[in-house]
Amino acid sequence: MTEFEVIQNIKEELLKAEQKHPFWPDDILHQIAIVNEESGEATRAALQFQ
C-alpha cells in the first residue's frame, strides 16, 4: 500500500466518523463512550475475521 493510499483511507474513515457522529460531545465521558463503542466493534470484526 502506498503512502497516498494510506492517507486516502484515513480521510475516508474520518468522513465516515464525522457522518456517524456529527455532533461530537464536549464532555470527556461521552467522548470516551463513543471511542469504546467503536473499539468494541473493531474487536468484534477482528475476532470474526479469524
Side-chain angles (χ1 to χ4, degrees):
M1 183 174 284
T2 68
E3 183 178 324
F4 175 79
E5 291 171 325
V6 170
I7 293 170
Q8 191 63 31
N9 287 344
I10 291 169
K11 288 181 176 181
E12 289 171 9
E13 287 301 317
L14 176 60
L15 180 60
K16 289 180 198 175
E18 289 172 338
Q19 290 172 343
K20 186 172 181 179
H21 303 286
F23 302 105
W24 189 251
D26 292 331
D27 65 290
I28 190 74
L29 291 176
H30 283 94
Q31 292 172 354
I32 200 68
I34 292 170
V35 171
N36 282 334
E37 178 184 350
E38 297 300 324
S39 175
E41 290 176 10
T43 301
R44 184 179 338 110
L47 288 170
Q48 292 174 350
F49 179 74
Q50 294 184 7

